Amino acid sequence: MAATAMKEFTEIKLEKEDGIAILTLHRPEKMNAFTGKMMQEMIEAFDITDADDDIRVVIVTGHGDRAFCAGADLSSGAKTFDYDKRAGDGEAGRTANEDIQRDGGGRVTLRIFDSLKPVIGAINGAAVGIGVTMQLPMDIRLASDNARFGFVFNRRGINPEAASSYFLPRLVGIQQALDWCYTGRIFSAQEAKEGRLVKEVYPQAELMNEAKKLAREIADNTAAVSTTLTKHMMWRMLGASHPMEAHIVDSASIYSRGKTEDAREGVMSFLEKRQPTYPVKVSDGMPSFFPWWEEPEFKWIGGDGS
């Protein structure tokens, strides 16, 4: 089935292909470098995929075979990371005081974290700075053999961003996280796999096919509401203080789901040795207790910024 555009954007592409959304970072002349506009478009894209019950999985990749995302666009020179000085540039979404103070990469990763659909990263080339930290809340990351990674922040006189101090140690462990962040060095796809940053490494020509194969395994065989619940149960329990927190949510989930047509279909399709067709939709079929957490608000702690 051919991919069709879900909406026209400027710096990304969002396409739909048989229940799979493909979000492509698309600034070919800049190696898909990140901007405020890209931030806004990515956030909107996840709003669109969340609202579409036909979308079961989102794949995020970069245009071309050189770069997934080469980090922040540095064309503003010395003021690239000085948001106060850039406030007068008219950059979309960065004029209100709170928007200036908030890290744009973090706004993207928090939106990916909140996604109702599983997110697979297909990392097709260079991924440094925000190009690597935006991957961290994606549920599964696959890389091409020519991909390169770098948490280069300390080499630019800034610091890791995009909530990576939360995500990275949880994914790879504190020692590996600090090695990559302290040194800011560029490392290979193979090292990324050995360090548990990515699940698998594939030849460049096979990467998207493998990502779609994984997406199809999810889309064709699992109940949408169950998958959304699983995604948030797993991620949000990373910060739980006791397994009882998980037991409480597990109990409510299995009790609620067990009474649904999805549960009946799951059992009967197995007994009848046929492909399941799960009827319950994410848009109107989530359990009444979802979400069970309180969403924290952004609170500025930086004083006058000096």
Side-chain angles (χ1 to χ4, degrees), residues 20-23 46 56-62 68 112 115 117-123 134-135 137-143 199 202 207-219 231:
I20 300 170
I22 302 172
L23 191 166
F46 280 98
R56 292 296 317 280
V57 183
V58 181
I59 298 174
V60 181
T61 193
F68 171 75
I112 296 172
S115 172
K117 313 298 172 68
V119 182
I120 298 172
I123 315 307
M134 77 163 67
Q135 303 170 28
M138 298 178 191
D139 301 299
I140 302 170
R141 289 157 300 283
L142 311 177
K199 180 178 182 290
Y202 297 101
L207 177 63
M208 280 303 294
N209 285 338
E210 293 295 335
K212 290 177 183 179
K213 186 187 300 183
L214 177 58
R216 286 256 61 85
E217 183 75 17
I218 299 168
K231 172 184 171 72

Side-chain angles (χ1 to χ4, degrees), residues 18-209:
D18 193 20
I20 300 170
I22 302 172
L23 191 166
T24 305
L25 310 181
H26 194 261
R27 298 186 72 217
E29 75 288 354
K30 295 286 189 178
M31 294 181 68
N32 307 321
F34 186 81
T35 68
K37 181 69 171 175
M38 182 180 286
M39 171 197 74
Q40 285 195 313
E41 292 186 350
M42 290 185 72
I43 290 170
E44 183 179 354
F46 280 98
D47 291 343
I48 291 170
T49 57
D50 270 3
D52 189 335
D53 282 322
D54 290 337
I55 296 300
R56 292 296 317 280
V57 183
V58 181
I59 298 174
V60 181
T61 193
H63 174 81
D65 56 9
R66 293 182 60 208
F68 171 75
C69 173
D73 188 329
L74 303 180
S75 59
S76 294
K79 66 177 182 178
T80 295
F81 300 111
D82 190 334
Y83 296 144
D84 286 339
K85 288 184 178 178
R86 291 179 57 186
D89 291 351
E91 185 175 302
R94 303 299 300 216
T95 53
N97 189 50
E98 183 179 283
D99 278 343
I100 292 170
Q101 293 168 344
R102 290 190 68 177
D103 161 43
R107 293 176 64 182
V108 169
T109 57
L110 289 171
R111 183 62 189 86
I112 296 172
F113 179 71
D114 285 336
S115 172
L116 297 177
K117 313 298 172 68
V119 182
I120 298 172
I123 315 307
N124 58 301
V128 300
I130 180 59
V132 65
T133 55
M134 77 163 67
Q135 303 170 28
L136 302 181
M138 298 178 191
D139 301 299
I140 302 170
R141 289 157 300 283
L142 311 177
S144 63
D145 51 7
N146 70 325
R148 297 292 181 269
F149 303 82
F151 296 88
V152 298
F153 307 98
N154 290 11
R155 295 192 178 206
R156 303 291 179 268
I158 53 172
N159 55 270
E161 38 61 273
S164 54
S165 57
Y166 174 93
F167 291 113
L168 187 60
R170 285 168 168 80
L171 291 173
V172 307
I174 188 66
Q175 180 172 249
Q176 182 65 85
L178 290 176
D179 171 10
W180 285 337
C181 290
Y182 281 164
T183 65
R185 60 187 172 81
I186 304 298
F187 55 94
S188 68
Q190 185 58 38
E191 182 175 340
K193 180 182 177 182
E194 292 169 358
R196 299 189 301 171
L197 179 61
V198 301
K199 180 178 182 290
E200 295 290 349
V201 178
Y202 297 101
Q204 175 77 19
E206 299 175 15
L207 177 63
M208 280 303 294
N209 285 338

